Amino acid sequence: MLIFSIVFASGTLASAQTSWVLEQSDQMHGWTAPVPQLNVSLNHAFTEHVGAWGYAQIFTDHAQMYAGISAAPAPWLEFGIAVGMEQPANSNLRFGSFLSLSQNGLGYVYGMYENGGSGPWYRVEFGLEVTPRFLFGGIIQSGQGIGPRFEIALPWIPVQLWGGPTFDWTDTTGKPWGAIFGIRAKFKH
């Protein structure tokens, strides 16, 4: 899978229809020490409506990577499915999907769902554009909960700072409050 991802990335980065996102985020659950994670997403449009995408995520004790196909039936709608691997897990096979709705000047909704290996995981975030550099919205993420989400775009580079407090209604430790925050860089080529 790693070799496929390297070939996939090097073959598509030269195209004028490739975008990628690099995100470092920290999750705090129960106001404990932050748990860092690194996310990388790569999308390539072969045509106006059909493409490929890949996603990788790295925690201190967990990593996963998958690749698949995507479709964009309208300029504001894109979705995809993928298969890959994770470690450590009893079953390394992992399936992923995403759905993206966006409108320049208004905002976006983005969701991911994964399953296999260590079990299901989901994340949905949305943002409404308050100003060209500030979005306000929300986030729902398994294991983290639900909460408001604030995003500020830096004016001189394609980087956004984001975060907010969360409440995990599934918490069984008696510490349902937490926070999630990060830095996200988006590039198109």
Side-chain angles (χ1 to χ4, degrees), residues 83-86 89 91-95 115-118:
V83 65
M85 298 174 65
E86 75 172 333
S91 168
N92 290 355
L93 198 57
R94 191 105 176 126
F95 300 95
N115 209 341
S118 60

Side-chain angles (χ1 to χ4, degrees), residues 146-183:
I146 186 171
R149 185 179 182 283
F150 306 91
E151 182 176 310
I152 298 170
L154 300 180
W156 57 92
I157 54 176
V159 170
Q160 298 83 36
L161 305 174
W162 63 271
T166 57
F167 177 80
D168 185 0
W169 67 92
T170 64
D171 177 77
T172 59
T173 66
K175 299 177 182 178
W177 292 99
I180 185 167
F181 50 92
I183 182 168

Side-chain angles (χ1 to χ4, degrees), residues 22-45:
L22 177 64
E23 177 180 73
Q24 192 281 323
S25 65
D26 292 291
Q27 301 175 25
M28 295 170 35
H29 198 84
W31 304 113
T32 59
V35 176
Q37 76 179 50
L38 179 67
N39 300 310
V40 179
S41 177
L42 178 68
N43 292 32
H44 177 73

Side-chain angles (χ1 to χ4, degrees), residues 2 4 12 31 33 45 62 66-67 69 84 97-98 105 147 156 166 171 184:
L2 178 61
F4 171 77
T12 59
W31 304 113
H62 174 89
Y66 48 80
I69 59 171
S97 61
F98 80 92
W156 57 92
T166 57
D171 177 77
R184 180 181 291 170

Side-chain angles (χ1 to χ4, degrees), residues 64-83:
Q64 64 179 358
M65 180 185 306
Y66 48 80
I69 59 171
S70 63
W76 50 270
L77 171 65
E78 186 177 9
F79 57 89
I81 57 172
V83 65

